[in-house]
Amino acid sequence: MDHFDYVDGAMQVEQVPMAAIADAVGTPVYVYSTATLTRHVGVFRDALGSLDNPLIAFAVKANPNAAVLATLAKLGLGADVVSGGELLRAIAAGIPADRIVFSGVGKTAEEMRLALTHGIFQFNLESEPEAEMLSEVALSMGKRAPVAYRINPDVDAGTHAKISTGKSENKFGIPYARALESYAAARDLPGLDVQGVAVHIGSQLTDLAPLEAAFTKVGALIAALRDAGHDIRTADLGGGLGVPYDPALPEPPSPAAYGDMVCRVTQDWPVRLMFEPGRVIVGNAGALLSRVVRVKQGAKAPFVIVDAAMNDLLRPSLYDAWHDIRAVTPAGQRAAANVVGPVCETGDTFAMGRDMDVVAAGDLVAFMTAGAYGATMAGTYNSRPLAPEVLVSGDKWAVVRARPPIEALIAGDSIPDWLAD
Ligand code: LLP
């Protein structure tokens, strides 16, 4: 559920007309709803209600905007970060270091040092060489790093290949079959305090079965590790729960169903559970608001050319992702259309032959469910400045990232001496 609704025929976000934002800030612009963020945090937390003090660490990569992170920090969430940059963003937004977990296959010594300086809750290690490096870095600082190994359970998440992470051929985690050996080696590294097990098999999962299969393997591993004398105190079950994008498809499992499954599978585990939800917290809390530049005749359906492009919202061109496209002020008719951006690539296509509200030049359209992996994956291809971001709360709204002037983009480059005259 979100808070983008039609009131008197025009889309509002909470109590703010989308058109008012477009008029004031211009388009394209990302718009986020505080009420939706708050609701999703509540629903996810309630779903885990029977667990003892779970750590819910928001996957910052899904939406790293400072105002979004500050909203989630106030609601008590931690952060799952994958770079020094994300770590600093999370801390700057008020997320305490003891609620931060650091994931990712390529942490550098510098990033490890930064995270150790801040005293984060846990490093999720993804290989033995990484464990050795972290131990050395920690020792050089006179510290011991709290760690878990992310295991690769070799489970097919049944999602898009580019966002599937739990198969043995994927780059993530240590092989499940070798886990006991890897943990034994980690125990001998003096700079590490081995405290947990982690898993994350992919994103936009629409079936709980692969998650349950992965979690069951984690449970068996925890038992085996404790038998082998490891003091395993945490289990990080990752993120991955899908959200509804296409209203015509069956809804993905609810957070409540996910929570029931988690509670059932983990009931005997003697550990603190951790979660890294991203999309399920922010996905439906954001929309990309765009204006139709013109409508051009096409072979089968008209091309609706909007002022947002693949550089603003990459998901359709990268994953063939489906986003609902709604007129902000629907005229009442629907017809098939191809919705495209102005970038000079055929891949700059949001939808082909989509049955949608009929729109004309100058109309506003909203790309729904764009709060996760939207602005965060944007770039400046075709020298298009990053779209600004707006956060709404009730009848209040604020620009939480301004649209940079094109001059700033140009000034980022420099011309070497030998070309200067
Ligand atoms: N934890 C780890 C270690 C992850 O790699 C991810 C996402 C998450 C948690 C959060 O997963 P979520 O709950 O959001 O599914 N750009 C793609 C999604 C990439 C996901 C990467 N990892 C997309 O737009 O669909």
Side-chain angles (χ1 to χ4, degrees):
M1 203 204 109
D2 61 42
H3 291 75
F4 295 85
D5 296 307
Y6 288 96
V7 176
D8 295 333
M11 192 191 290
Q12 289 195 180
V13 47
E14 303 189 26
Q15 290 151 46
V16 179
M18 293 284 262
I21 295 172
D23 288 346
V25 184
T27 50
V29 53
Y30 276 95
V31 181
Y32 307 128
S33 154
T34 303
T36 313
L37 292 172
T38 307
R39 181 187 144 79
H40 289 175
V41 170
V43 166
F44 198 81
R45 189 175 271 139
D46 287 353
L48 304 174
S50 61
L51 299 177
D52 181 25
N53 189 26
L55 174 61
I56 304 176
F58 172 65
V60 171
K61 63 171 81 69
N63 191 322
N65 184 281
V68 170
L69 294 184
T71 304
L72 300 179
K74 283 210 161 63
L75 294 168
L77 294 203
D80 163 48
V81 303
V82 292
S83 69
E86 285 192 353
L87 173 66
L88 292 175
R89 271 181 181 271
I91 287 171
I95 297 177
D98 65 3
R99 290 190 196 151
I100 296 181
V101 51
F102 197 157
S103 305
V105 295
K107 302 176 202 78
T108 64
E110 198 183 331
E111 289 175 319
M112 292 171 176
R113 222 169 280 123
L114 183 69
L116 284 164
T117 303
H118 283 283
I120 65 164
F121 180 69
Q122 181 169 295
F123 291 84
N124 287 351
L125 299 175
E126 304 227 14
S127 65
E128 293 174 8
E130 185 192 356
E132 286 159 22
M133 179 189 265
L134 179 60
S135 176
E136 274 175 34
V137 173
L139 281 184
S140 74
M141 299 170 70
K143 293 180 186 258
R144 285 181 83 205
V147 301
Y149 258 127
R150 173 174 178 178
I151 58 143
N152 183 320
D154 195 19
V155 165
D156 186 347
T159 185
H160 191 282
K162 284 190 180 149
I163 51 174
S164 186
T165 57
K167 287 287 289 170
S168 59
E169 61 267 31
N170 298 142
K171 68 180 175 180
F172 298 99
I174 56 166
Y176 186 79
R178 253 197 21 235
L180 284 174
E181 287 162 54
S182 301
Y183 271 87
R187 179 162 48 191
D188 291 339
L189 293 171
L192 302 187
D193 174 14
V194 180
Q195 68 177 23
V197 178
V199 75
H200 171 79
I201 60 169
S203 196
Q204 186 53 19
L205 271 62
T206 53
D207 181 3
L208 293 179
L211 286 167
E212 180 164 349
F215 299 167
T216 302
K217 283 188 151 183
V218 169
L221 181 61
I222 291 171
L225 288 169
R226 289 176 68 93
D227 282 351
H230 295 276
D231 181 18
I232 299 298
R233 296 153 346 244
T234 67
D236 181 343
L237 300 184
L241 192 58
V243 301
Y245 282 97
D246 182 348
L249 294 180
E251 292 224 342
S254 65
Y258 170 84
D260 286 349
M261 181 274 283
V262 166
C263 294
R264 177 167 47 78
V265 174
T266 66
Q267 58 185 337
D268 300 325
W269 298 9
V271 298
R272 180 181 185 198
L273 290 181
M274 302 162 58
F275 300 86
E276 303 171 352
R279 193 187 315 261
V280 76
I281 303 292
V282 291
N284 289 344
L288 173 61
L289 181 57
S290 177
R291 203 176 281 282
V292 177
V293 178
R294 65 183 57 86
V295 178
K296 166 180 164 169
Q297 202 182 344
K300 290 192 182 144
F303 285 99
V304 172
I305 304 166
V306 297
D307 64 3
M310 63 188 286
N311 71 295
D312 303 304
L313 179 63
L314 187 57
R315 305 192 66 259
S317 61
L318 197 55
Y319 316 115
D320 294 318
W322 198 102
H323 285 263
D324 200 9
I325 307 172
R326 299 187 200 155
V328 167
T329 315
Q333 291 158 300
R334 294 177 71 87
N338 309 318
V339 181
V340 300
V343 161
C344 298
E345 291 208 28
T346 300
D348 185 24
T349 297
F350 292 113
M352 288 298 284
R354 175 76 63 88
D355 175 50
M356 58 177 279
D357 299 320
V358 172
V359 288
D363 287 355
L364 291 169
V365 293
F367 293 85
M368 308 309 293
T369 321
Y373 308 108
T376 180
M377 291 175 68
T380 59
Y381 186 40
N382 279 208
S383 288
R384 295 167 48 85
L386 293 179
E389 293 166 88
V390 161
L391 181 66
V392 173
S393 180
D395 59 359
K396 297 194 295 283
W397 64 274
V399 175
V400 294
R401 187 171 68 192
R403 188 189 310 280
I406 187 65
E407 290 74 20
L409 207 63
I410 298 169
D413 300 347
S414 51
I415 295 178
D417 291 351
W418 70 85
L419 291 173
D421 34 55

